[in-house]
Amino acid sequence: MKLFCDSEKLDDYLLELNEVNYSNPIIKEKADELFHHSQTEIEKAKIAFEFVRDEIAHSWDIQSERVTCHASEVLDFKEGICYAKSHLLASLLRSQGIPTGFCYQRLMLFDTPEKGYCIHALNAIFLKSLNKWIRVDARGNKERIDAQFSTEEEKLAFPINEDLGEKDYPVIYANPHPKIVAVLGENTNALEMYKHHLPESL
């Protein structure tokens, strides 16, 4: 699938945002812990991805009601749904001058179309040394989910089944999609949000 940027300015994928608040002390402290000057951008991208994938719990997996949104609170509480985790990964990488955007998929919420659909979030990272964008999914691995960092073939969390109404959105957004930010702001129970209030399309 060919990806498209919603902004022609690569610098837009480095901006600090409400949700991507990388000047927050907790983000700066974690960045200082994870990264050092001798690492390449690819090494930094892999380290950040694996940290968010493995060390930040997915709210549904741990059955937590807490809703997180801003990168700093995702890191502070070490939990969030895919939307929140994508904000944290973008924050860590943008803090290192690595352009990072947001991508989305439309997936079945559970295992059949009858149980509804949801929008799922992942990230795109621009690697200057390779002059290309790669997509990564830091949602968190578990049984039957094995997302990995790869600069060649994508190794995402979920295969897309277009015959069942799922789809890959080809846009790399510089900002989290407004529908994503809205649903995180409007809900106070992550489990109820996950089951009943996630957007079904962009």
Side-chain angles (χ1 to χ4, degrees), residues 85-87 89-90 100-103 121-125 134-138:
K85 294 186 72 169
S86 75
H87 299 166
L89 181 55
T100 307
F102 305 91
C103 293
L122 53 156
N123 293 95
I125 304 168
I134 65 165
R135 291 195 304 170
V136 296
D137 191 339

Side-chain angles (χ1 to χ4, degrees), residues 72-91:
S72 57
E73 62 182 348
V74 181
L75 180 57
D76 190 24
F77 292 111
K78 292 187 168 48
E79 64 180 87
I81 67 166
C82 59
Y83 305 165
K85 294 186 72 169
S86 75
H87 299 166
L88 176 56
L89 181 55
S91 188

